[in-house]
Amino acid sequence: MKQIIIVLAFLISSIGFSQNSKKAEALLNDVYNKAQAYENISVDFKYVLENVSENIKQETRGDVVMKGDKYLLNILGITRLFDSEKLYTISPEDEEVTISSDNSEDENTITPSKMMSFYKEGYMYEMDIIQDVKGRKIQFVKLNPIDTNSEIKEIFLGVDAKTKHIYKLIEVGKNGTKTTLTVNSFKTNEPISKTLFTFDKNKYKEYYINKLD
C-alpha cells in the first residue's frame, strides 16, 4: 500500500477501509442503542484467559447483572458490586471487602458498565470475519487502540447479526495474553430486587473492610 507506484490501488483500498469502518461503527452503535433501551441485562458467560508462551490457561464461568452503569459481577469466587459511585470487591475466601472508586478511567479495563460503550473512544475499528455458530451469524468487529502505548494489542467483538447482542469478546494483549468472554445466555428486563446494587454492610460484619479512598 505504501508503494508510490500503485497510488490508485492505495486510494481504492483507502476508500474501502473507510466504508468498512463506517459499517463497523454502525453495527457497534446498533449494539449500544439496543442495550441502552433495556431496563436491565443479565448475562451468563464463559471466561478463558490464556498465554501460550507462559503455559497459562484458566477457564471459569461467571454472571453479571447490569442496569445503567450499575452492575453485580460474580467471577472466580469474587463478587464485584458497583452502585454507580463505589466499587465493592467482596472476597469470601479472604473475608475481605475492598471499597474503591470506579475504575472506568483505566483504559485497559473493560468493566461490565463499559461493555457496550468502550469502543466509542480510543479505538479504530473495521468489520472482520463472519462465523456460523449453531445457525447464528456472528459478525466480528476488529478494534485497534489509537494509543500506541496501550497494553491492548487488539480486540475482536462478536455480535449476533440478528439480535445485535454481544456474543463474544476477545482481547489480545501485547504481552501475548488472550482473554475470551463467550456469552452463554443473554436475558433482558428480568425482575430484579430494588436493593440488588446496594451494598449491605450487615452481611459482612465479620469481614475486614479495606477502604482505598
Side-chain angles (χ1 to χ4, degrees):
M1 269 212 206
K2 295 181 180 179
Q3 298 178 22
I4 300 177
I5 195 170
I6 42 177
V7 174
L8 181 59
F10 174 77
L11 290 175
I12 292 174
S13 63
S14 294
I15 293 171
F17 179 82
S18 176
Q19 293 173 340
N20 192 14
S21 179
K22 288 180 180 179
K23 287 181 180 179
E25 182 179 18
L27 177 59
L28 294 176
N29 284 337
D30 284 344
V31 172
Y32 174 76
N33 291 331
K34 191 159 189 178
Q36 287 294 99
Y38 295 130
E39 179 67 20
N40 59 68
I41 298 173
S42 301
V43 177
D44 180 85
F45 60 87
K46 177 182 178 181
Y47 174 89
V48 180
L49 183 148
E50 54 188 329
N51 187 312
V52 177
S53 63
E54 298 292 334
N55 196 29
I56 295 173
K57 185 168 185 179
Q58 182 181 48
E59 295 187 25
T60 189
R61 300 177 79 94
D63 60 81
V64 62
V65 181
M66 298 173 279
K67 182 177 181 179
D69 61 352
K70 300 177 182 179
Y71 65 83
L72 178 65
L73 169 67
N74 295 295
I75 188 170
L76 296 171
I78 302 293
T79 296
R80 291 166 66 88
L81 169 66
F82 181 57
D83 62 6
S84 78
E85 293 183 0
K86 294 291 183 180
L87 176 65
Y88 301 85
T89 302
I90 305 165
S91 174
E93 183 177 353
D94 300 323
E95 294 190 339
E96 180 179 29
V97 177
T98 301
I99 305 174
S100 61
S101 297
D102 177 27
N103 62 349
S104 63
E105 293 183 0
D106 181 357
E107 66 166 48
N108 295 313
T109 302
I110 300 176
T111 62
S113 56
K114 295 196 300 179
M115 176 67 88
M116 310 299 175
S117 61
F118 75 92
Y119 71 93
K120 287 181 174 290
E121 293 183 7
Y123 292 91
M124 294 181 65
Y125 26 79
E126 60 181 300
M127 297 293 257
D128 203 73
I129 64 171
I130 297 177
Q131 286 186 345
D132 189 303
V133 180
K134 297 180 180 179
R136 299 165 63 192
K137 297 296 183 183
I138 306 299
Q139 172 67 65
F140 280 86
V141 176
K142 181 180 180 182
L143 300 96
N144 293 101
I146 295 174
D147 183 2
T148 56
N149 294 319
S150 173
E151 295 178 10
I152 298 173
K153 178 182 178 182
E154 55 194 7
I155 294 175
F156 296 91
L157 195 63
V159 177
D160 187 312
K162 183 178 180 180
T163 65
K164 299 299 188 296
H165 292 164
I166 293 176
Y167 168 70
K168 182 173 288 189
L169 185 148
I170 303 170
E171 179 183 300
V172 182
K174 289 181 179 178
N175 64 354
T177 299
K178 181 170 76 171
T179 304
T180 304
L181 188 153
T182 304
V183 173
N184 295 320
S185 69
F186 190 106
K187 299 178 181 179
T188 61
N189 300 336
E190 293 278 286
I192 60 175
S193 168
K194 292 182 179 179
T195 61
L196 183 65
F197 305 107
T198 302
F199 177 72
D200 185 355
K201 63 181 181 180
N202 292 320
K203 291 182 179 180
Y204 306 99
K205 291 181 179 179
E206 305 300 320
Y207 282 43
Y208 172 69
I209 305 298
N210 181 21
K211 294 184 180 181
L212 299 183
D213 48 33

Coordinates of all heavy atoms in Angstrom, one line a residue, residues 108-186:
N108 N -7.4 0.2 30.1 CA -7.1 -1.2 29.9 C -8.0 -2.1 30.6 O -7.8 -3.3 30.7 CB -5.6 -1.4 30.3 CG -4.6 -0.7 29.4 OD1 -4.8 -0.7 28.2 ND2 -3.7 -0.1 30.0
T109 N -9.1 -1.5 31.3 CA -10.0 -2.3 32.0 C -11.4 -2.1 31.3 O -12.0 -1.0 31.4 CB -10.1 -2.0 33.5 OG1 -8.8 -2.1 34.0 CG2 -11.1 -2.8 34.2
I110 N -12.0 -3.2 30.8 CA -13.3 -3.1 30.2 C -14.3 -3.7 31.3 O -14.4 -4.9 31.4 CB -13.4 -3.9 28.9 CG1 -12.4 -3.4 27.9 CG2 -14.8 -3.9 28.4 CD1 -12.4 -4.2 26.6
T111 N -14.9 -2.8 32.0 CA -15.8 -3.2 33.1 C -17.1 -3.5 32.5 O -17.5 -3.1 31.4 CB -15.9 -2.1 34.1 OG1 -16.5 -0.9 33.5 CG2 -14.6 -1.7 34.7
P112 N -18.0 -4.2 33.2 CA -19.3 -4.5 32.7 C -20.1 -3.3 32.3 O -20.8 -3.3 31.3 CB -20.0 -5.2 33.9 CG -18.9 -5.9 34.6 CD -17.8 -5.0 34.5
S113 N -20.0 -2.2 33.0 CA -20.7 -1.0 32.7 C -20.2 -0.3 31.4 O -20.9 0.5 30.8 CB -20.6 0.0 33.9 OG -19.3 0.3 34.2
K114 N -19.0 -0.7 31.0 CA -18.4 -0.2 29.8 C -18.5 -1.1 28.6 O -18.1 -0.8 27.5 CB -17.0 0.2 29.9 CG -16.7 1.3 30.9 CD -15.3 1.9 30.8 CE -14.3 0.9 31.0 NZ -12.9 1.4 30.8
M115 N -19.1 -2.3 28.8 CA -19.0 -3.4 27.8 C -19.7 -2.9 26.5 O -19.2 -3.3 25.4 CB -19.8 -4.6 28.4 CG -19.9 -5.7 27.4 SD -18.4 -6.5 27.0 CE -18.3 -7.7 28.3
M116 N -20.7 -2.2 26.6 CA -21.5 -1.8 25.4 C -20.9 -0.5 24.8 O -21.3 -0.1 23.7 CB -23.0 -1.6 25.7 CG -23.6 -2.8 26.4 SD -23.5 -4.3 25.5 CE -24.2 -5.5 26.7
S117 N -20.1 0.3 25.5 CA -19.7 1.6 25.0 C -18.2 1.9 25.0 O -17.8 2.9 24.6 CB -20.4 2.7 25.9 OG -19.9 2.5 27.3
F118 N -17.4 0.9 25.4 CA -16.0 1.2 25.5 C -15.3 1.6 24.1 O -14.3 2.2 24.1 CB -15.2 -0.1 26.0 CG -15.1 -1.2 25.0 CD1 -13.9 -1.3 24.2 CD2 -16.1 -2.2 24.9 CE1 -13.8 -2.3 23.3 CE2 -15.9 -3.2 24.0 CZ -14.8 -3.3 23.2
Y119 N -16.0 1.1 23.0 CA -15.4 1.4 21.7 C -15.5 2.8 21.3 O -14.8 3.2 20.3 CB -16.2 0.5 20.7 CG -17.6 1.0 20.4 CD1 -17.9 1.9 19.4 CD2 -18.7 0.6 21.2 CE1 -19.2 2.3 19.1 CE2 -19.9 1.0 21.0 CZ -20.2 1.9 20.0 OH -21.5 2.4 19.8
K120 N -16.4 3.6 21.9 CA -16.7 4.9 21.5 C -15.5 5.9 21.5 O -15.4 6.9 20.8 CB -17.8 5.5 22.3 CG -19.2 4.9 22.0 CD -20.3 5.6 22.8 CE -21.6 5.1 22.4 NZ -22.0 5.6 21.0
E121 N -14.5 5.6 22.4 CA -13.3 6.5 22.5 C -12.0 5.6 22.5 O -12.0 4.6 23.2 CB -13.4 7.3 23.7 CG -14.5 8.4 23.7 CD -14.4 9.2 25.0 OE1 -13.5 9.1 25.8 OE2 -15.4 10.0 25.2
G122 N -11.1 6.0 21.7 CA -9.8 5.4 21.8 C -9.5 4.2 20.9 O -8.5 3.6 21.0
Y123 N -10.4 3.9 20.0 CA -10.3 2.8 19.1 C -10.6 3.1 17.6 O -11.4 4.0 17.3 CB -11.2 1.6 19.5 CG -10.8 1.0 20.8 CD1 -11.4 1.5 22.0 CD2 -9.9 0.0 20.9 CE1 -11.0 0.9 23.2 CE2 -9.6 -0.6 22.1 CZ -10.1 -0.2 23.2 OH -9.8 -0.7 24.5
M124 N -9.9 2.4 16.7 CA -10.3 2.4 15.3 C -10.8 1.0 15.1 O -10.4 0.0 15.7 CB -9.0 2.6 14.4 CG -8.4 4.0 14.5 SD -7.0 4.2 13.4 CE -7.8 4.1 11.8
Y125 N -11.8 0.9 14.2 CA -12.5 -0.4 14.0 C -12.8 -0.7 12.6 O -13.0 0.2 11.8 CB -13.7 -0.5 14.9 CG -14.4 0.7 15.3 CD1 -15.2 1.4 14.4 CD2 -14.2 1.3 16.5 CE1 -15.9 2.6 14.7 CE2 -14.8 2.5 16.9 CZ -15.7 3.1 16.0 OH -16.3 4.3 16.3
E126 N -12.9 -2.0 12.3 CA -13.3 -2.4 11.0 C -14.0 -3.7 11.1 O -13.8 -4.5 12.0 CB -12.0 -2.5 10.1 CG -11.0 -3.6 10.7 CD -9.8 -3.7 9.8 OE1 -9.9 -4.0 8.6 OE2 -8.7 -3.4 10.4
M127 N -14.8 -4.0 10.1 CA -15.5 -5.3 10.0 C -14.5 -6.4 9.8 O -13.5 -6.3 9.1 CB -16.5 -5.3 8.9 CG -17.6 -4.3 9.0 SD -18.7 -4.6 10.4 CE -20.1 -5.3 9.6
D128 N -14.7 -7.6 10.5 CA -13.9 -8.7 10.4 C -14.7 -9.9 9.9 O -15.6 -9.7 9.1 CB -13.2 -9.0 11.8 CG -11.9 -9.8 11.7 OD1 -10.9 -9.2 11.3 OD2 -11.9 -11.0 12.0
I129 N -14.3 -11.1 10.3 CA -15.0 -12.3 9.7 C -16.4 -12.5 10.2 O -16.8 -11.9 11.3 CB -14.1 -13.5 10.0 CG1 -14.1 -13.8 11.6 CG2 -12.7 -13.4 9.5 CD1 -13.5 -15.1 11.9
I130 N -17.1 -13.3 9.5 CA -18.5 -13.8 10.0 C -18.3 -15.3 10.3 O -17.8 -16.0 9.5 CB -19.5 -13.6 8.9 CG1 -19.7 -12.1 8.6 CG2 -20.9 -14.2 9.4 CD1 -20.7 -11.8 7.5
Q131 N -18.8 -15.7 11.5 CA -18.8 -17.1 11.8 C -20.2 -17.6 12.0 O -21.1 -16.9 12.4 CB -18.0 -17.3 13.2 CG -16.5 -17.2 13.1 CD -15.8 -17.5 14.4 OE1 -16.5 -17.6 15.4 NE2 -14.5 -17.8 14.3
D132 N -20.4 -18.9 11.6 CA -21.7 -19.5 11.8 C -21.6 -20.3 13.1 O -20.8 -21.3 13.2 CB -22.0 -20.5 10.7 CG -23.4 -21.0 10.7 OD1 -23.8 -21.6 11.7 OD2 -24.2 -20.8 9.8
V133 N -22.3 -19.9 14.1 CA -22.3 -20.6 15.4 C -23.7 -21.2 15.7 O -24.6 -20.5 16.1 CB -21.9 -19.7 16.6 CG1 -21.9 -20.4 17.9 CG2 -20.6 -19.0 16.3
K134 N -23.8 -22.5 15.4 CA -25.1 -23.2 15.6 C -26.2 -22.5 15.0 O -27.3 -22.3 15.5 CB -25.4 -23.4 17.1 CG -24.3 -24.2 17.8 CD -24.6 -24.4 19.3 CE -23.6 -25.2 20.0 NZ -23.9 -25.4 21.5
G135 N -26.0 -22.1 13.7 CA -27.1 -21.4 12.9 C -27.2 -19.9 13.1 O -27.9 -19.3 12.4
R136 N -26.4 -19.4 14.0 CA -26.4 -18.0 14.3 C -25.2 -17.3 13.5 O -24.1 -17.8 13.6 CB -26.2 -17.7 15.8 CG -27.3 -18.2 16.6 CD -26.9 -18.2 18.1 NE -26.7 -16.9 18.6 CZ -26.1 -16.6 19.8 NH1 -25.7 -17.6 20.6 NH2 -26.0 -15.4 20.2
K137 N -25.5 -16.2 12.9 CA -24.4 -15.5 12.2 C -23.8 -14.5 13.1 O -24.4 -13.6 13.6 CB -25.0 -14.8 11.0 CG -25.6 -15.7 9.9 CD -24.5 -16.6 9.3 CE -25.1 -17.4 8.2 NZ -24.1 -18.4 7.6
I138 N -22.5 -14.7 13.4 CA -21.8 -13.8 14.4 C -20.8 -13.0 13.5 O -19.8 -13.5 13.0 CB -21.0 -14.7 15.4 CG1 -21.9 -15.6 16.2 CG2 -20.3 -13.7 16.4 CD1 -23.1 -15.0 16.9
Q139 N -21.1 -11.7 13.5 CA -20.2 -10.7 12.8 C -19.2 -10.2 13.8 O -19.5 -9.6 14.8 CB -21.1 -9.6 12.2 CG -20.3 -8.5 11.6 CD -19.5 -8.9 10.4 OE1 -20.1 -9.2 9.4 NE2 -18.2 -8.8 10.4
F140 N -17.9 -10.3 13.4 CA -16.9 -9.8 14.3 C -16.4 -8.4 13.8 O -16.4 -8.2 12.6 CB -15.7 -10.8 14.3 CG -15.8 -11.9 15.3 CD1 -16.5 -13.1 14.8 CD2 -15.4 -11.9 16.6 CE1 -16.7 -14.2 15.7 CE2 -15.6 -12.9 17.4 CZ -16.2 -14.1 17.0
V141 N -16.1 -7.6 14.8 CA -15.6 -6.3 14.5 C -14.2 -6.2 15.2 O -14.1 -6.6 16.4 CB -16.4 -5.1 15.1 CG1 -15.8 -3.8 14.9 CG2 -17.8 -5.1 14.4
K142 N -13.2 -5.8 14.5 CA -11.8 -5.7 15.0 C -11.6 -4.3 15.5 O -11.8 -3.3 14.7 CB -10.8 -6.1 13.9 CG -9.4 -6.0 14.4 CD -8.4 -6.5 13.3 CE -6.9 -6.4 13.8 NZ -6.0 -6.8 12.7
L143 N -11.1 -4.1 16.7 CA -10.8 -2.8 17.3 C -9.3 -2.7 17.6 O -8.8 -3.6 18.2 CB -11.6 -2.6 18.5 CG -13.2 -2.6 18.4 CD1 -13.7 -4.0 18.7 CD2 -13.8 -1.6 19.2
N144 N -8.7 -1.6 17.2 CA -7.3 -1.4 17.5 C -7.2 -0.1 18.3 O -7.7 0.9 17.9 CB -6.5 -1.3 16.2 CG -6.4 -2.6 15.4 OD1 -7.1 -2.8 14.4 ND2 -5.6 -3.5 15.9
P145 N -6.5 -0.1 19.4 CA -6.3 1.1 20.2 C -5.5 2.1 19.4 O -4.6 1.8 18.7 CB -5.5 0.6 21.4 CG -5.7 -0.9 21.4 CD -5.8 -1.3 20.0
I146 N -6.0 3.4 19.6 CA -5.3 4.5 18.9 C -4.0 4.8 19.6 O -3.0 5.2 19.0 CB -6.2 5.7 18.9 CG1 -7.4 5.5 18.0 CG2 -5.5 7.0 18.4 CD1 -8.5 6.6 18.0
D147 N -4.0 4.7 21.0 CA -2.9 4.9 21.8 C -1.8 3.8 21.6 O -2.1 2.6 22.0 CB -3.3 5.0 23.3 CG -2.1 5.3 24.2 OD1 -1.0 5.5 23.7 OD2 -2.3 5.4 25.4
T148 N -0.7 4.1 21.1 CA 0.3 3.1 20.8 C 0.9 2.5 22.1 O 1.6 1.5 22.1 CB 1.5 3.7 19.9 OG1 2.0 4.8 20.6 CG2 0.9 4.0 18.5
N149 N 0.7 3.2 23.2 CA 1.2 2.8 24.5 C 0.3 1.8 25.2 O 0.6 1.4 26.3 CB 1.6 3.9 25.4 CG 2.7 4.8 24.8 OD1 3.7 4.2 24.4 ND2 2.6 6.1 24.9
S150 N -0.9 1.6 24.6 CA -1.9 0.8 25.3 C -1.4 -0.7 25.4 O -0.6 -1.2 24.6 CB -3.2 0.7 24.4 OG -4.1 -0.2 24.9
E151 N -1.7 -1.3 26.5 CA -1.3 -2.7 26.8 C -2.1 -3.6 25.9 O -1.8 -4.8 25.8 CB -1.5 -3.0 28.2 CG -0.6 -2.2 29.2 CD -0.9 -2.6 30.6 OE1 -1.6 -3.5 30.9 OE2 -0.3 -1.9 31.5
I152 N -3.2 -3.1 25.3 CA -4.0 -4.0 24.4 C -3.5 -3.9 23.0 O -3.3 -2.8 22.5 CB -5.5 -3.5 24.5 CG1 -6.1 -3.6 25.9 CG2 -6.4 -4.3 23.5 CD1 -7.4 -3.0 26.1
K153 N -3.4 -5.0 22.4 CA -2.9 -5.1 21.0 C -4.1 -5.0 20.1 O -4.1 -4.1 19.1 CB -2.2 -6.4 20.7 CG -1.8 -6.6 19.3 CD -1.2 -8.0 19.1 CE -0.8 -8.2 17.6 NZ -0.2 -9.5 17.4
E154 N -5.2 -5.7 20.3 CA -6.4 -5.7 19.5 C -7.5 -6.4 20.3 O -7.3 -7.2 21.2 CB -6.2 -6.3 18.2 CG -5.7 -7.8 18.3 CD -5.2 -8.3 17.0 OE1 -5.0 -7.5 16.0 OE2 -4.8 -9.5 16.9
I155 N -8.8 -6.0 19.9 CA -10.0 -6.6 20.4 C -10.9 -7.0 19.3 O -11.0 -6.3 18.3 CB -10.7 -5.6 21.3 CG1 -9.9 -5.2 22.5 CG2 -12.1 -6.1 21.8 CD1 -10.5 -4.1 23.4
F156 N -11.4 -8.2 19.5 CA -12.4 -8.7 18.5 C -13.8 -8.8 19.2 O -13.9 -9.5 20.2 CB -12.0 -10.1 17.9 CG -10.7 -10.0 17.1 CD1 -9.5 -10.2 17.7 CD2 -10.8 -9.7 15.8 CE1 -8.3 -10.1 17.0 CE2 -9.6 -9.6 15.0 CZ -8.4 -9.9 15.6
L157 N -14.8 -8.2 18.7 CA -16.1 -8.2 19.3 C -17.1 -8.9 18.4 O -17.3 -8.5 17.2 CB -16.6 -6.8 19.6 CG -17.8 -6.6 20.5 CD1 -17.4 -7.1 21.9 CD2 -18.2 -5.1 20.5
G158 N -17.6 -10.0 18.8 CA -18.5 -10.8 18.0 C -20.0 -10.4 18.3 O -20.4 -10.5 19.5
V159 N -20.7 -10.1 17.3 CA -22.1 -9.6 17.5 C -23.1 -10.5 16.7 O -22.8 -10.8 15.6 CB -22.3 -8.2 17.0 CG1 -23.7 -7.7 17.1 CG2 -21.3 -7.2 17.8
D160 N -24.1 -10.9 17.4 CA -25.2 -11.7 16.7 C -25.8 -10.8 15.7 O -26.4 -9.8 16.1 CB -26.2 -12.2 17.8 CG -27.2 -13.2 17.2 OD1 -27.8 -12.8 16.1 OD2 -27.4 -14.2 17.8
A161 N -25.7 -11.1 14.5 CA -26.2 -10.2 13.4 C -27.7 -10.0 13.5 O -28.2 -9.0 13.0 CB -25.8 -10.8 12.0
K162 N -28.4 -11.0 14.0 CA -29.9 -10.9 14.1 C -30.4 -10.1 15.3 O -31.2 -9.2 15.2 CB -30.5 -12.3 14.1 CG -32.0 -12.3 14.1 CD -32.6 -13.7 14.1 CE -34.1 -13.7 14.1 NZ -34.7 -15.1 14.1
T163 N -29.9 -10.5 16.5 CA -30.3 -9.8 17.7 C -29.6 -8.5 18.1 O -30.1 -7.7 18.9 CB -30.2 -10.8 18.9 OG1 -28.8 -11.1 19.2 CG2 -30.9 -12.1 18.6
K164 N -28.4 -8.4 17.5 CA -27.5 -7.2 17.8 C -27.0 -7.3 19.3 O -26.7 -6.3 19.9 CB -28.2 -5.9 17.6 CG -28.6 -5.7 16.1 CD -27.4 -5.7 15.2 CE -27.7 -5.3 13.8 NZ -28.6 -6.2 13.1
H165 N -26.9 -8.5 19.8 CA -26.4 -8.7 21.2 C -25.0 -9.2 21.0 O -24.6 -9.9 20.1 CB -27.2 -9.8 21.9 CG -28.6 -9.4 22.3 ND1 -29.6 -10.3 22.6 CD2 -29.2 -8.2 22.3 CE1 -30.7 -9.6 22.9 NE2 -30.5 -8.3 22.7
I166 N -24.1 -8.9 22.0 CA -22.8 -9.3 22.0 C -22.7 -10.8 22.4 O -23.3 -11.3 23.3 CB -21.9 -8.5 23.1 CG1 -21.8 -7.1 22.6 CG2 -20.5 -9.1 23.2 CD1 -21.1 -6.2 23.6
Y167 N -22.0 -11.6 21.5 CA -21.8 -13.0 21.8 C -20.4 -13.3 22.3 O -20.3 -14.2 23.2 CB -22.1 -13.8 20.4 CG -21.6 -15.2 20.5 CD1 -22.4 -16.1 21.3 CD2 -20.5 -15.7 19.8 CE1 -22.0 -17.5 21.4 CE2 -20.1 -17.0 19.9 CZ -20.9 -17.9 20.7 OH -20.5 -19.2 20.8
K168 N -19.4 -12.6 21.8 CA -18.1 -12.9 22.2 C -17.2 -11.7 22.2 O -17.3 -10.8 21.3 CB -17.5 -14.0 21.3 CG -16.1 -14.5 21.7 CD -15.6 -15.6 20.9 CE -16.3 -16.9 21.3 NZ -15.7 -18.1 20.6
L169 N -16.3 -11.6 23.2 CA -15.3 -10.6 23.2 C -13.9 -11.2 23.4 O -13.7 -12.0 24.3 CB -15.6 -9.6 24.3 CG -14.7 -8.3 24.4 CD1 -15.4 -7.1 24.9 CD2 -13.4 -8.6 25.3
I170 N -13.0 -10.9 22.5 CA -11.7 -11.5 22.6 C -10.7 -10.3 22.7 O -10.6 -9.4 21.8 CB -11.3 -12.3 21.3 CG1 -12.3 -13.4 21.1 CG2 -9.9 -12.9 21.4 CD1 -12.2 -14.1 19.8
E171 N -9.9 -10.2 23.8 CA -9.0 -9.2 24.0 C -7.6 -9.8 23.9 O -7.3 -10.7 24.7 CB -9.2 -8.5 25.3 CG -8.2 -7.4 25.6 CD -8.4 -6.7 27.0 OE1 -9.5 -6.2 27.2 OE2 -7.5 -6.8 27.8
V172 N -6.7 -9.3 23.0 CA -5.4 -9.7 22.9 C -4.4 -8.7 23.4 O -4.4 -7.6 22.9 CB -5.0 -10.1 21.4 CG1 -3.6 -10.6 21.3 CG2 -6.1 -11.1 20.8
G173 N -3.6 -9.1 24.4 CA -2.6 -8.1 25.0 C -1.3 -8.2 24.3 O -1.0 -9.2 23.6
K174 N -0.5 -7.1 24.4 CA 0.8 -7.1 23.8 C 1.7 -8.1 24.4 O 2.8 -8.4 23.9 CB 1.3 -5.7 23.8 CG 0.6 -4.7 22.9 CD 1.2 -3.3 23.0 CE 0.5 -2.4 22.0 NZ 1.1 -1.0 22.1
N175 N 1.4 -8.5 25.6 CA 2.2 -9.5 26.3 C 1.9 -10.9 25.9 O 2.4 -11.9 26.5 CB 2.1 -9.3 27.8 CG 0.7 -9.6 28.3 OD1 -0.2 -9.9 27.6 ND2 0.5 -9.6 29.6
G176 N 1.0 -11.1 25.0 CA 0.7 -12.4 24.5 C -0.5 -13.1 25.2 O -0.9 -14.2 24.8
T177 N -1.1 -12.4 26.1 CA -2.2 -12.9 26.9 C -3.5 -12.7 26.1 O -3.8 -11.6 25.6 CB -2.4 -12.3 28.3 OG1 -1.2 -12.6 29.0 CG2 -3.6 -12.8 29.0
K178 N -4.3 -13.7 25.9 CA -5.6 -13.6 25.3 C -6.7 -13.9 26.2 O -6.7 -15.0 26.9 CB -5.7 -14.5 24.0 CG -7.0 -14.4 23.3 CD -7.0 -15.1 21.9 CE -7.1 -16.6 22.2 NZ -7.3 -17.4 20.9
T179 N -7.7 -13.0 26.3 CA -8.8 -13.2 27.2 C -10.1 -13.3 26.3 O -10.3 -12.4 25.5 CB -9.0 -12.0 28.2 OG1 -7.8 -11.8 28.9 CG2 -10.1 -12.2 29.1
T180 N -10.8 -14.3 26.5 CA -12.0 -14.6 25.7 C -13.2 -14.7 26.6 O -13.3 -15.5 27.6 CB -11.9 -15.9 24.9 OG1 -10.7 -15.8 24.1 CG2 -13.1 -16.0 24.0
L181 N -14.3 -13.9 26.4 CA -15.5 -14.0 27.1 C -16.6 -14.4 26.1 O -16.8 -13.7 25.1 CB -15.8 -12.6 27.7 CG -17.0 -12.5 28.7 CD1 -16.8 -11.4 29.7 CD2 -18.3 -12.3 27.9
T182 N -17.2 -15.5 26.4 CA -18.3 -16.0 25.5 C -19.6 -16.1 26.2 O -19.7 -16.6 27.3 CB -18.0 -17.5 25.0 OG1 -16.7 -17.5 24.4 CG2 -19.0 -18.0 24.0
V183 N -20.6 -15.4 25.7 CA -21.9 -15.3 26.3 C -22.7 -16.6 26.1 O -22.9 -17.1 25.0 CB -22.7 -14.2 25.7 CG1 -24.1 -14.2 26.3 CG2 -22.0 -12.8 26.0
N184 N -23.1 -17.2 27.2 CA -23.9 -18.5 27.2 C -25.4 -18.1 27.2 O -26.2 -18.8 26.5 CB -23.6 -19.3 28.4 CG -22.2 -19.9 28.4 OD1 -21.7 -20.3 27.4 ND2 -21.5 -19.9 29.6
S185 N -25.8 -17.1 27.9 CA -27.2 -16.6 27.9 C -27.2 -15.1 28.1 O -26.4 -14.5 28.8 CB -28.0 -17.3 29.0 OG -27.6 -16.8 30.3
F186 N -28.1 -14.5 27.4 CA -28.3 -13.0 27.4 C -29.8 -12.7 27.6 O -30.6 -13.0 26.7 CB -27.8 -12.5 26.1 CG -27.7 -11.0 26.0 CD1 -26.4 -10.4 26.0 CD2 -28.8 -10.2 25.9 CE1 -26.3 -9.0 26.0 CE2 -28.7 -8.8 25.9 CZ -27.4 -8.2 25.9

